[in-house]
Amino acid sequence: MNVKKSRSGFGTRAVHEGRGFAGTTGAVMPPVFLTSTFRRGNPDGFDYTRSGNPNFRLLEQSAASLEGARFATCFASGVSAITAVVSSLKSGDLVLAEENIYGCTYRLFDKVFAKFGLRVHYSDLSRSENWELIRRLRPTLVWLESPTNPLLKILDIAGISAAAAKARVPVLVDNTFASPYLQRPLEFGATLSLESTTKYINGHSDCLGGIVATNDQEWQQRMIFSQKALGLQPSPFDAWLTTRGQRTLALRMERHSANALELARWLEARKGVRNVRYPFLTSHPQYRLARRQMKAGSGIILAELDCSAKAALAFCRRLQFFTLAESLGGVESLICHPPSMTHASVPPEVRRRVGIGDGLLRFSVGIEDIEDLRQDVDAALKSTLRGARD
Protein backbone atom coordinates (compact mmCIF):
# COMPACT_ATOMS: atom_id res chain seq x y z
CA MET A 1 0.00 0.00 0.00
CA ASN A 2 1.22 3.49 -0.80
CA VAL A 3 2.53 5.04 2.47
CA LYS A 4 0.96 8.41 1.77
CA LYS A 5 -2.43 6.81 1.14
CA SER A 6 -2.20 4.60 4.23
CA ARG A 7 -1.83 7.71 6.40
CA SER A 8 -4.75 9.51 4.79
CA GLY A 9 -8.20 9.88 6.35
CA PHE A 10 -10.98 7.35 5.86
CA GLY A 11 -12.88 9.39 3.27
CA THR A 12 -9.74 10.01 1.25
CA ARG A 13 -8.79 6.33 1.26
CA ALA A 14 -12.33 5.37 0.27
CA VAL A 15 -12.08 7.58 -2.82
CA HIS A 16 -8.50 6.84 -3.85
CA GLU A 17 -7.90 3.18 -2.98
CA GLY A 18 -9.16 0.54 -5.42
CA ARG A 19 -7.96 2.29 -8.55
CA GLY A 20 -5.62 0.74 -11.06
CA PHE A 21 -5.17 -1.41 -14.16
CA ALA A 22 -6.01 1.59 -16.34
CA GLY A 23 -2.87 1.07 -18.44
CA THR A 24 -2.03 4.07 -20.61
CA THR A 25 -5.65 5.20 -21.00
CA GLY A 26 -5.68 7.80 -18.24
CA ALA A 27 -9.07 6.45 -17.11
CA VAL A 28 -10.02 7.76 -13.66
CA MET A 29 -12.13 4.68 -12.94
CA PRO A 30 -10.81 1.15 -13.48
CA PRO A 31 -12.36 -1.00 -16.21
CA VAL A 32 -14.46 -4.10 -15.61
CA PHE A 33 -12.50 -7.21 -16.49
CA LEU A 34 -15.20 -9.49 -17.89
CA THR A 35 -12.92 -12.40 -18.60
CA SER A 36 -12.94 -15.97 -17.33
CA THR A 37 -9.30 -16.69 -18.07
CA PHE A 38 -5.93 -14.99 -18.71
CA ARG A 39 -2.87 -15.60 -20.87
CA ARG A 40 -0.47 -17.78 -18.91
CA GLY A 41 2.59 -16.03 -17.51
CA ASN A 42 1.16 -12.48 -17.50
CA PRO A 43 3.11 -10.03 -15.25
CA ASP A 44 0.19 -9.53 -12.81
CA GLY A 45 -0.07 -13.25 -12.05
CA PHE A 46 -3.71 -13.86 -13.02
CA ASP A 47 -4.74 -17.21 -14.45
CA TYR A 48 -8.47 -17.90 -13.96
CA THR A 49 -11.13 -15.59 -12.53
CA ARG A 50 -12.29 -18.11 -9.94
CA SER A 51 -8.89 -17.70 -8.31
CA GLY A 52 -8.39 -13.99 -8.95
CA ASN A 53 -9.35 -11.07 -11.14
CA PRO A 54 -8.14 -7.44 -11.30
CA ASN A 55 -11.53 -6.24 -10.00
CA PHE A 56 -11.22 -8.58 -7.01
CA ARG A 57 -7.74 -7.30 -6.28
CA LEU A 58 -8.82 -3.65 -6.37
CA LEU A 59 -11.79 -4.32 -4.09
CA GLU A 60 -9.67 -6.32 -1.66
CA GLN A 61 -7.00 -3.63 -1.50
CA SER A 62 -9.51 -0.88 -0.81
CA ALA A 63 -11.50 -2.98 1.69
CA ALA A 64 -8.33 -3.88 3.62
CA SER A 65 -7.40 -0.21 3.78
CA LEU A 66 -10.79 0.80 5.20
CA GLU A 67 -10.86 -2.10 7.67
CA GLY A 68 -7.37 -1.25 8.92
CA ALA A 69 -6.30 -4.76 7.88
CA ARG A 70 -3.30 -6.34 6.17
CA PHE A 71 -5.55 -8.58 4.09
CA ALA A 72 -9.07 -8.83 2.72
CA THR A 73 -10.75 -11.46 0.54
CA CYS A 74 -13.92 -10.83 -1.44
CA PHE A 75 -16.78 -13.27 -1.90
CA ALA A 76 -20.03 -13.59 -3.84
CA SER A 77 -22.25 -12.61 -0.89
CA GLY A 78 -22.24 -12.21 2.86
CA VAL A 79 -23.37 -15.82 3.20
CA SER A 80 -20.49 -16.86 0.92
CA ALA A 81 -18.11 -15.08 3.28
CA ILE A 82 -19.65 -16.90 6.25
CA THR A 83 -19.35 -20.20 4.34
CA ALA A 84 -15.68 -19.50 3.60
CA VAL A 85 -14.90 -19.08 7.30
CA VAL A 86 -17.00 -21.96 8.64
CA SER A 87 -15.86 -24.40 5.94
CA SER A 88 -12.29 -23.93 7.17
CA LEU A 89 -13.26 -25.61 10.48
CA LYS A 90 -13.23 -29.35 11.11
CA SER A 91 -15.76 -31.96 12.19
CA GLY A 92 -16.05 -31.84 15.97
CA ASP A 93 -14.98 -28.19 16.23
CA LEU A 94 -17.04 -25.98 18.52
CA VAL A 95 -18.19 -22.43 17.72
CA LEU A 96 -19.25 -20.22 20.63
CA ALA A 97 -21.78 -17.83 19.11
CA GLU A 98 -23.77 -14.86 20.32
CA GLU A 99 -27.35 -16.09 20.71
CA ASN A 100 -28.82 -13.32 18.52
CA ILE A 101 -27.28 -13.73 15.07
CA TYR A 102 -28.40 -13.33 11.47
CA GLY A 103 -31.02 -15.92 10.53
CA CYS A 104 -29.02 -17.24 7.57
CA THR A 105 -25.97 -17.72 9.80
CA TYR A 106 -28.12 -19.74 12.20
CA ARG A 107 -29.48 -21.75 9.27
CA LEU A 108 -25.98 -22.51 7.96
CA PHE A 109 -24.87 -23.68 11.37
CA ASP A 110 -28.02 -25.70 12.08
CA LYS A 111 -29.00 -27.10 8.67
CA VAL A 112 -25.73 -27.35 6.74
CA PHE A 113 -22.59 -27.56 8.84
CA ALA A 114 -24.17 -29.55 11.68
CA LYS A 115 -24.41 -32.44 9.20
CA PHE A 116 -20.62 -32.40 8.96
CA GLY A 117 -20.09 -32.48 12.71
CA LEU A 118 -19.73 -28.78 13.55
CA ARG A 119 -21.03 -27.93 17.02
CA VAL A 120 -22.37 -24.50 18.05
CA HIS A 121 -23.03 -23.26 21.57
CA TYR A 122 -25.17 -20.11 21.82
CA SER A 123 -24.94 -17.64 24.68
CA ASP A 124 -25.83 -14.04 25.52
CA LEU A 125 -22.35 -12.57 25.05
CA SER A 126 -23.53 -9.07 25.89
CA ARG A 127 -23.25 -10.29 29.51
CA SER A 128 -19.62 -10.34 30.65
CA GLU A 129 -20.24 -13.21 33.08
CA ASN A 130 -20.80 -15.45 30.06
CA TRP A 131 -17.30 -14.78 28.70
CA GLU A 132 -16.11 -17.45 31.12
CA LEU A 133 -17.48 -19.93 28.56
CA ILE A 134 -14.49 -19.12 26.35
CA ARG A 135 -12.07 -20.44 28.97
CA ARG A 136 -14.31 -23.34 29.98
CA LEU A 137 -15.44 -24.57 26.55
CA ARG A 138 -12.25 -23.75 24.63
CA PRO A 139 -14.14 -23.23 21.34
CA THR A 140 -12.39 -23.25 17.99
CA LEU A 141 -13.93 -19.86 17.14
CA VAL A 142 -16.01 -17.16 18.85
CA TRP A 143 -18.70 -15.75 16.53
CA LEU A 144 -20.05 -12.27 17.24
CA GLU A 145 -22.25 -9.62 15.66
CA SER A 146 -22.31 -6.04 16.90
CA PRO A 147 -24.79 -4.51 16.46
CA THR A 148 -26.66 -7.82 16.29
CA ASN A 149 -29.32 -8.68 13.73
CA PRO A 150 -32.07 -7.81 14.43
CA LEU A 151 -32.02 -6.90 18.15
CA LEU A 152 -29.18 -4.34 17.90
CA LYS A 153 -27.37 -5.65 20.95
CA ILE A 154 -23.93 -4.09 21.31
CA LEU A 155 -21.18 -6.51 22.31
CA ASP A 156 -17.91 -5.47 23.92
CA ILE A 157 -15.56 -6.51 21.14
CA ALA A 158 -12.41 -5.49 23.01
CA GLY A 159 -13.47 -7.26 26.21
CA ILE A 160 -14.49 -10.49 24.48
CA SER A 161 -11.38 -10.44 22.27
CA ALA A 162 -9.14 -10.01 25.32
CA ALA A 163 -10.83 -12.95 27.06
CA ALA A 164 -10.46 -15.05 23.90
CA ALA A 165 -6.81 -14.08 23.48
CA LYS A 166 -6.03 -15.50 26.93
CA ALA A 167 -7.48 -18.82 25.76
CA ARG A 168 -5.84 -18.47 22.31
CA VAL A 169 -9.23 -18.56 20.59
CA PRO A 170 -9.84 -16.47 17.44
CA VAL A 171 -12.77 -14.05 17.32
CA LEU A 172 -14.90 -13.22 14.29
CA VAL A 173 -17.11 -10.12 14.24
CA ASP A 174 -19.85 -9.75 11.66
CA ASN A 175 -19.59 -5.98 11.22
CA THR A 176 -22.29 -5.63 8.56
CA PHE A 177 -24.62 -3.35 10.56
CA ALA A 178 -21.84 -0.89 11.42
CA SER A 179 -19.54 -0.89 8.36
CA PRO A 180 -15.82 -0.06 8.74
CA TYR A 181 -16.64 3.65 8.77
CA LEU A 182 -18.36 3.35 12.15
CA GLN A 183 -16.44 0.44 13.68
CA ARG A 184 -13.29 -1.55 12.89
CA PRO A 185 -13.29 -4.85 14.85
CA LEU A 186 -9.63 -5.65 14.21
CA GLU A 187 -8.65 -2.51 16.10
CA PHE A 188 -10.48 -3.94 19.15
CA GLY A 189 -8.59 -7.23 18.98
CA ALA A 190 -10.81 -9.37 16.76
CA THR A 191 -9.12 -11.86 14.43
CA LEU A 192 -11.61 -11.58 11.57
CA SER A 193 -13.95 -8.82 10.43
CA LEU A 194 -16.72 -10.04 8.14
CA GLU A 195 -19.03 -7.79 6.13
CA SER A 196 -21.90 -8.38 3.78
CA THR A 197 -20.81 -5.73 1.27
CA THR A 198 -24.31 -6.06 -0.23
CA LYS A 199 -25.39 -3.68 2.53
CA TYR A 200 -23.70 -0.42 3.52
CA ILE A 201 -20.37 -0.88 1.75
CA ASN A 202 -21.95 -1.06 -1.70
CA GLY A 203 -24.93 0.98 -0.52
CA HIS A 204 -27.06 0.92 -3.67
CA SER A 205 -28.91 -2.42 -3.51
CA ASP A 206 -27.66 -3.44 -6.94
CA CYS A 207 -25.25 -6.30 -6.24
CA LEU A 208 -24.28 -8.98 -3.73
CA GLY A 209 -20.92 -9.39 -2.05
CA GLY A 210 -18.96 -10.22 1.07
CA ILE A 211 -15.56 -9.46 2.57
CA VAL A 212 -13.42 -11.10 5.25
CA ALA A 213 -10.58 -8.92 6.55
CA THR A 214 -7.77 -10.03 8.86
CA ASN A 215 -4.21 -9.35 9.96
CA ASP A 216 -3.52 -13.07 10.36
CA GLN A 217 -1.56 -14.68 7.51
CA GLU A 218 -2.89 -18.18 8.21
CA TRP A 219 -6.52 -17.06 8.15
CA GLN A 220 -5.87 -15.14 4.97
CA GLN A 221 -4.57 -18.30 3.30
CA ARG A 222 -7.71 -20.13 4.43
CA MET A 223 -9.88 -17.43 2.84
CA ILE A 224 -7.98 -17.53 -0.45
CA PHE A 225 -8.33 -21.32 -0.53
CA SER A 226 -12.08 -21.12 0.18
CA GLN A 227 -12.62 -18.49 -2.49
CA LYS A 228 -10.98 -20.68 -5.13
CA ALA A 229 -11.78 -24.22 -4.00
CA LEU A 230 -15.46 -23.63 -3.19
CA GLY A 231 -16.15 -21.21 -6.04
CA LEU A 232 -17.26 -18.44 -3.67
CA GLN A 233 -15.92 -15.54 -5.73
CA PRO A 234 -18.12 -12.63 -6.92
CA SER A 235 -18.51 -11.63 -10.54
CA PRO A 236 -16.01 -9.01 -11.75
CA PHE A 237 -18.87 -6.57 -12.36
CA ASP A 238 -20.23 -6.99 -8.81
CA ALA A 239 -16.73 -6.42 -7.45
CA TRP A 240 -16.52 -3.26 -9.59
CA LEU A 241 -19.90 -2.02 -8.34
CA THR A 242 -18.87 -2.63 -4.73
CA THR A 243 -15.61 -0.74 -5.18
CA ARG A 244 -17.53 2.14 -6.72
CA GLY A 245 -20.15 2.19 -3.96
CA GLN A 246 -17.48 2.08 -1.26
CA ARG A 247 -16.16 5.46 -2.39
CA THR A 248 -19.12 7.29 -0.83
CA LEU A 249 -19.36 5.16 2.32
CA ALA A 250 -18.33 7.92 4.74
CA LEU A 251 -20.88 10.41 3.44
CA ARG A 252 -23.68 7.88 3.32
CA MET A 253 -23.07 6.53 6.81
CA GLU A 254 -23.18 10.01 8.28
CA ARG A 255 -26.58 10.65 6.66
CA HIS A 256 -27.95 7.19 7.53
CA SER A 257 -26.92 7.68 11.15
CA ALA A 258 -28.29 11.22 11.45
CA ASN A 259 -31.64 10.25 9.93
CA ALA A 260 -31.95 7.12 12.05
CA LEU A 261 -31.17 8.89 15.32
CA GLU A 262 -33.78 11.57 14.65
CA LEU A 263 -36.43 9.03 13.62
CA ALA A 264 -35.64 6.80 16.62
CA ARG A 265 -36.07 9.70 19.05
CA TRP A 266 -39.39 10.57 17.44
CA LEU A 267 -40.61 6.95 17.50
CA GLU A 268 -39.86 6.61 21.21
CA ALA A 269 -42.54 9.18 21.99
CA ARG A 270 -45.22 7.72 19.71
CA LYS A 271 -48.34 6.01 21.01
CA GLY A 272 -48.64 2.39 19.90
CA VAL A 273 -44.87 1.82 19.83
CA ARG A 274 -44.05 -0.58 22.66
CA ASN A 275 -40.30 0.01 22.58
CA VAL A 276 -37.56 1.36 20.33
CA ARG A 277 -33.96 0.25 20.21
CA TYR A 278 -31.16 2.21 18.56
CA PRO A 279 -27.50 2.17 19.68
CA PHE A 280 -27.21 5.92 20.18
CA LEU A 281 -30.46 6.34 22.13
CA THR A 282 -29.76 6.84 25.84
CA SER A 283 -32.44 4.19 26.52
CA HIS A 284 -30.36 1.50 24.78
CA PRO A 285 -29.03 -0.95 27.40
CA GLN A 286 -25.49 -0.74 25.97
CA TYR A 287 -25.62 2.97 25.07
CA ARG A 288 -22.29 3.87 26.70
CA LEU A 289 -20.53 0.93 25.09
CA ALA A 290 -21.98 1.89 21.70
CA ARG A 291 -20.69 5.45 22.10
CA ARG A 292 -17.26 4.13 23.02
CA GLN A 293 -17.09 1.52 20.27
CA MET A 294 -18.88 3.17 17.33
CA LYS A 295 -18.47 6.51 15.59
CA ALA A 296 -22.26 6.82 15.12
CA GLY A 297 -25.31 4.61 15.53
CA SER A 298 -25.73 3.46 11.89
CA GLY A 299 -29.03 3.36 10.01
CA ILE A 300 -30.97 0.50 11.62
CA ILE A 301 -33.81 1.05 14.09
CA LEU A 302 -35.68 -1.71 15.86
CA ALA A 303 -39.24 -0.91 16.93
CA GLU A 304 -41.87 -3.18 18.41
CA LEU A 305 -45.46 -2.19 17.76
CA ASP A 306 -48.15 -3.03 20.27
CA CYS A 307 -49.99 -5.26 17.81
CA SER A 308 -50.15 -8.67 16.17
CA ALA A 309 -47.90 -9.92 13.38
CA LYS A 310 -50.76 -9.37 10.91
CA ALA A 311 -51.17 -5.73 11.99
CA ALA A 312 -47.40 -5.17 11.91
CA LEU A 313 -47.29 -6.36 8.30
CA ALA A 314 -50.28 -4.14 7.46
CA PHE A 315 -48.32 -1.19 8.87
CA CYS A 316 -45.38 -2.06 6.63
CA ARG A 317 -47.58 -2.15 3.53
CA ARG A 318 -49.03 1.28 4.27
CA LEU A 319 -45.61 2.95 4.10
CA GLN A 320 -44.75 4.92 0.96
CA PHE A 321 -41.02 5.56 1.32
CA PHE A 322 -40.08 2.39 3.23
CA THR A 323 -40.25 -0.62 0.92
CA LEU A 324 -41.17 -3.93 2.56
CA ALA A 325 -38.15 -5.96 1.55
CA GLU A 326 -35.24 -8.06 2.74
CA SER A 327 -31.77 -6.55 3.13
CA LEU A 328 -30.65 -3.15 4.41
CA GLY A 329 -28.01 -0.49 4.00
CA GLY A 330 -29.03 0.97 0.64
CA VAL A 331 -29.62 4.66 -0.01
CA GLU A 332 -33.36 3.92 -0.03
CA SER A 333 -35.34 3.18 3.14
CA LEU A 334 -36.56 -0.38 3.72
CA ILE A 335 -38.80 -2.00 6.33
CA CYS A 336 -38.52 -5.63 7.43
CA HIS A 337 -40.67 -7.87 9.65
CA PRO A 338 -37.99 -10.24 11.06
CA PRO A 339 -40.36 -12.97 12.39
CA SER A 340 -41.71 -13.64 8.89
CA MET A 341 -38.67 -12.59 6.84
CA THR A 342 -35.00 -12.55 7.87
CA HIS A 343 -35.50 -14.81 10.91
CA ALA A 344 -38.30 -17.04 9.65
CA SER A 345 -35.80 -19.93 9.54
CA VAL A 346 -35.20 -19.57 13.28
CA PRO A 347 -37.59 -21.77 15.30
CA PRO A 348 -40.42 -19.75 16.92
CA GLU A 349 -39.40 -20.79 20.43
CA VAL A 350 -35.84 -19.58 19.78
CA ARG A 351 -37.15 -16.29 18.36
CA ARG A 352 -39.30 -15.71 21.42
CA ARG A 353 -36.48 -16.63 23.80
CA VAL A 354 -34.06 -14.08 22.33
CA GLY A 355 -36.73 -11.35 22.07
CA ILE A 356 -38.01 -11.41 18.47
CA GLY A 357 -41.74 -10.77 19.01
CA ASP A 358 -44.58 -10.78 16.48
CA GLY A 359 -44.77 -6.98 16.30
CA LEU A 360 -41.04 -6.45 15.81
CA LEU A 361 -39.98 -4.25 12.87
CA ARG A 362 -36.56 -3.39 11.51
CA PHE A 363 -36.22 -0.04 9.80
CA SER A 364 -33.29 0.46 7.44
CA VAL A 365 -33.29 4.25 7.29
CA GLY A 366 -32.07 5.66 3.99
CA ILE A 367 -30.66 9.03 3.01
CA GLU A 368 -33.97 10.65 2.03
CA ASP A 369 -35.22 13.88 3.66
CA ILE A 370 -35.98 12.99 7.26
CA GLU A 371 -39.24 14.96 7.39
CA ASP A 372 -40.64 12.88 4.52
CA LEU A 373 -39.70 9.67 6.31
CA ARG A 374 -41.21 10.84 9.59
CA GLN A 375 -44.51 11.84 7.97
CA ASP A 376 -44.65 8.52 6.16
CA VAL A 377 -44.22 6.53 9.38
CA ASP A 378 -46.67 8.78 11.24
CA ALA A 379 -49.44 8.28 8.67
CA ALA A 380 -48.96 4.50 8.55
CA LEU A 381 -48.87 4.26 12.34
CA LYS A 382 -52.08 6.26 12.82
CA SER A 383 -53.87 4.17 10.21
CA THR A 384 -52.68 0.92 11.79
CA LEU A 385 -53.79 1.96 15.27
CA ARG A 386 -57.22 3.00 13.95
CA GLY A 387 -57.56 -0.38 12.24
CA ALA A 388 -56.60 -2.21 15.43
CA ARG A 389 -59.37 -0.39 17.34
CA ASP A 390 -62.05 -0.95 14.70
Side-chain angles (χ1 to χ4, degrees):
M1 185 189 300
N2 182 284
V3 175
K4 185 176 180 181
K5 286 183 180 179
S6 68
R7 293 175 180 170
S8 301
F10 187 98
T12 302
R13 297 199 310 278
V15 170
H16 289 280
E17 292 288 350
R19 299 164 78 171
F21 296 106
T24 60
T25 66
V28 173
M29 292 294 288
V32 185
F33 288 85
L34 299 177
T35 181
S36 61
T37 193
F38 302 82
R39 181 190 295 271
R40 187 170 181 83
N42 65 82
D44 291 308
F46 296 107
D47 55 15
Y48 189 61
T49 280
R50 178 158 49 81
S51 57
N53 179 284
N55 295 115
F56 301 176
R57 187 175 295 178
L58 294 175
L59 173 57
E60 290 167 349
Q61 289 172 351
S62 58
S65 173
L66 299 187
E67 292 276 356
R70 291 177 62 199
F71 313 107
T73 310
C74 63
F75 298 97
S77 66
V79 169
S80 294
I82 294 167
T83 300
V85 174
V86 182
S87 67
S88 72
L89 306 179
K90 302 186 301 296
S91 179
D93 281 352
L94 174 67
V95 174
L96 175 60
E98 157 59 33
E99 65 179 7
N100 174 220
I101 56 172
Y102 177 40
C104 288
T105 306
Y106 182 94
R107 182 170 59 199
L108 276 173
F109 284 153
D110 187 54
K111 302 298 184 184
V112 179
F113 288 103
K115 293 187 295 186
F116 300 99
L118 183 73
R119 299 174 296 138
V120 182
H121 182 93
Y122 295 96
S123 181
D124 181 0
L125 296 178
S126 68
R127 301 173 64 90
S128 58
E129 60 266 31
N130 291 334
W131 302 351
E132 170 65 14
L133 289 169
I134 301 173
R135 183 195 65 79
R136 185 156 58 84
L137 298 178
R138 296 282 172 163
T140 308
L141 181 66
V142 175
W143 194 284
L144 311 178
E145 292 179 13
S146 188
T148 64
N149 183 2
L151 297 180
L152 300 183
K153 291 165 62 176
I154 305 298
L155 306 188
D156 187 343
I157 299 171
I160 295 170
S161 295
K166 290 179 182 177
R168 297 186 178 181
V169 175
V171 173
L172 177 144
V173 178
D174 186 329
N175 196 44
T176 298
F177 272 29
S179 88
Y181 180 67
L182 301 183
Q183 177 177 271
R184 288 176 287 282
L186 303 185
E187 295 178 1
F188 292 104
T191 312
L192 301 164
S193 178
L194 183 148
E195 311 259 4
S196 171
T197 60
T198 308
K199 279 64 174 186
Y200 287 114
I201 290 178
N202 173 58
H204 293 81
S205 303
D206 54 11
C207 73
L208 302 181
I211 280 283
V212 177
T214 186
N215 290 320
D216 187 292
Q217 180 76 52
E218 181 182 343
W219 273 104
Q220 171 64 5
Q221 291 305 312
R222 293 187 188 188
M223 295 303 96
I224 292 172
F225 177 83
S226 295
Q227 184 194 61
K228 179 178 181 178
L230 300 180
L232 298 175
Q233 78 290 335
S235 75
F237 186 49
D238 281 358
W240 184 92
L241 284 171
T242 304
T243 307
R244 183 201 61 174
Q246 193 169 246
R247 298 183 195 283
T248 59
L249 179 61
L251 288 173
R252 289 186 285 103
M253 292 310 297
E254 288 175 1
R255 181 62 174 257
H256 284 300
S257 298
N259 276 357
L261 179 57
E262 188 168 341
L263 187 61
R265 285 172 172 163
W266 178 84
L267 274 169
E268 267 198 316
R270 301 300 299 166
K271 183 179 179 181
V273 180
R274 184 175 296 166
N275 61 66
V276 177
R277 183 169 285 192
Y278 180 72
F280 271 39
L281 282 179
T282 56
S283 58
H284 191 288
Q286 293 99 33
Y287 167 72
R288 291 186 178 181
L289 174 60
R291 291 298 298 259
R292 185 168 76 245
Q293 197 164 268
M294 300 172 67
K295 186 172 183 177
S298 195
I300 307 300
I301 301 171
L302 200 67
E304 186 172 9
L305 302 188
D306 192 9
C307 67
S308 65
K310 182 179 179 181
L313 282 167
F315 165 84
C316 295
R317 296 189 178 99
R318 290 185 175 106
L319 293 164
Q320 300 298 310
F321 294 126
F322 288 82
T323 302
L324 179 61
E326 301 271 358
S327 200
L328 57 103
V331 293
E332 71 292 327
S333 291
L334 300 176
I335 185 79
C336 170
H337 182 242
S340 64
M341 296 170 70
T342 57
H343 289 68
S345 60
V346 179
E349 64 276 12
V350 176
R351 290 202 304 265
R352 287 192 293 269
R353 178 171 56 80
V354 301
I356 302 174
D358 287 345
L360 197 70
L361 298 173
R362 189 188 73 190
F363 293 81
S364 176
V365 183
I367 65 170
E368 301 96 336
D369 293 325
I370 185 59
E371 187 56 34
D372 292 330
L373 298 180
R374 186 164 47 214
Q375 289 178 7
D376 188 25
V377 174
D378 188 40
L381 188 58
K382 288 177 179 175
S383 181
T384 300
L385 293 176
R386 283 197 301 270
R389 289 194 299 267
D390 294 341

